[in-house]
């Protein structure tokens, strides 16, 4: 009963349970809570167990959430150009992808920074809700790849130097 009163979980919220299961809350009764998984299966959780579990509610405090996409480019790339291209691609995609939000503005950071074989950037934008992450990432990655090819921005393969030793015969 306290789950209904507390309102930390509501019908319609997307939640991830401590067990790793996730889905939309379909119903909360005095005894159980029903969660519909993305595979369209129903998980029925006793409320006594739910009250003792760690639950992530992706709809609180609001549905909108940040989406971070790692992007790696060659050390020969101009960081200013990379940043400009990434921001432009998100802004251009906003009208075409209803799940992608223009507010707050997308941000690009040279973080984590200097990798073994490339510069590592993080592109951060916002989506309407948790389940929008995968389709938005999918489309943005295709757009970014296409644009990088047009701009001549290289996404390199890791480089390794291998030394071979000859065995000496005794």
């Amino acid at each position: 009963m306290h789950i209904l009163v507390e309102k930390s979980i509501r019908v319609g919220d997307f939640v991830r349970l401590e067990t790793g299961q996730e889905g939309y809350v379909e119903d909360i009764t005095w005894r159980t809570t029903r969660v519909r998984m993305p595979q369209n299966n129903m998980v029925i959780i006793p409320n006594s167990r739910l009250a003792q579990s760690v639950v992530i509610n992706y709809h609180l405090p609001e549905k909108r959430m940040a989406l971070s996409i790692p992007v790696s480019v060659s050390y020969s790339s101009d960081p200013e150009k990379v940043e400009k291209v990434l921001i432009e691609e998100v802004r251009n995609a906003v009208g075409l992808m209803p799940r992608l939000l223009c507010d707050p503005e997308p941000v690009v950071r040279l973080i984590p920074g200097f990798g073994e074989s490339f510069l590592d950037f993080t592109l951060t934008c916002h989506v309407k809700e948790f389940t929008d992450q995968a389709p938005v990432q999918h489309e943005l990655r295709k757009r970014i790849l296409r644009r990088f090819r047009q701009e001549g921005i290289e996404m390199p393969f890791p480089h390794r130097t291998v030394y071979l030793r000859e065995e000496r015969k005794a």
Side-chain angles (χ1 to χ4, degrees):
M1 188 59 111
H2 76 282
I3 290 173
L4 289 167
V5 174
E6 188 179 82
K7 296 185 181 176
S8 59
I9 299 173
R10 306 162 304 184
V11 172
D13 287 352
F14 191 88
V15 297
R16 176 177 288 152
L17 308 173
E18 192 172 39
T19 58
Q21 298 166 313
E22 60 187 22
Y24 286 96
V25 177
E26 290 284 319
D27 190 25
I28 303 171
T29 67
W30 67 273
R31 189 170 167 267
T32 63
T33 297
R34 290 177 173 79
V35 177
R36 182 176 41 89
M37 311 294 280
Q39 302 84 359
N40 209 27
N41 300 325
M42 190 72 68
V43 175
I44 301 162
I45 309 145
N47 287 339
S48 59
R49 231 171 169 186
L50 190 61
Q52 296 174 3
S53 298
V54 174
V55 178
I56 299 171
N57 188 334
Y58 289 102
H59 283 183
L60 289 176
E62 61 183 320
K63 288 183 180 183
R64 180 190 75 194
M65 69 178 301
L67 168 64
S68 295
I69 302 174
V71 180
S72 300
V73 299
S74 167
Y75 269 103
S76 65
S77 300
D78 176 5
E80 300 292 330
K81 183 177 181 180
V82 171
E83 183 176 356
K84 178 181 172 264
V85 166
L86 290 172
I87 295 292
E88 284 177 2
E89 282 308 309
V90 174
R91 286 181 180 155
N92 292 340
V94 167
L96 304 172
M97 298 167 57
R99 297 171 177 162
L100 178 61
L101 302 174
C102 62
D103 185 36
E105 284 281 321
V107 176
V108 176
R109 299 285 186 247
L110 183 54
I111 295 174
F114 305 110
E116 284 185 42
S117 303
F118 30 77
L119 295 172
D120 290 318
F121 289 82
T122 300
L123 166 63
T124 304
C125 53
H126 285 78
V127 293
K128 286 187 177 181
E129 66 175 275
F130 180 81
T131 54
D132 295 333
Q133 291 181 96
V136 168
Q137 263 192 79
H138 172 75
E139 289 302 320
L140 279 178
R141 287 178 190 272
K142 289 191 309 185
R143 293 177 67 90
I144 290 166
L145 181 59
R146 188 178 314 115
R147 180 73 184 278
F148 277 6
R149 286 178 176 159
Q150 289 172 356
E151 298 287 338
I153 298 172
E154 183 183 343
M155 298 176 79
F157 295 101
H159 297 259
R160 300 280 185 252
T161 303
V162 178
Y163 296 98
L164 301 175
R165 291 188 317 183
E166 288 187 35
E167 284 189 39
R168 293 186 178 177
K169 294 184 181 180

